[in-house]
Amino acid sequence: EGNTAVGVAAFKGHAPIVRALCRAGAKINIVDNSGLMAPQHALRGRHAECVTAVVEAMEGLAAERSRAR
């Protein structure tokens, strides 16, 4: 309750799901009820592959914003 799907997947170590959610447009910069975002959940879960997936998604968002300017 109050958690994002991508945050839960990242915390539990489900990197393929994290990638799929990010490709589908999941908002990875949303703060959930615990006060954390998906990248922080990945770090807390100690899942390097999930951290990488979230960082890559964040880089993709930054690149899109850069192109839109």
Side-chain angles (χ1 to χ4, degrees):
E1 190 173 298
N3 296 317
T4 65
V6 71
V8 172
F11 181 75
K12 293 190 174 202
H14 301 295
I17 294 172
V18 171
R19 286 190 187 91
L21 288 168
C22 290
R23 279 193 305 271
K27 298 190 184 215
I28 55 177
N29 58 349
I30 299 293
V31 177
D32 65 15
N33 284 348
S34 65
L36 302 173
M37 295 184 291
Q40 295 161 312
H41 282 294
L43 287 168
R44 288 186 69 214
R46 297 181 179 171
H47 299 291
E49 191 175 358
C50 290
V51 172
T52 299
V54 173
V55 168
E56 288 171 351
M58 292 173 73
E59 288 172 345
L61 288 174
E64 285 177 23
R65 288 182 187 147
S66 199
R67 284 190 298 268
R69 290 182 189 180

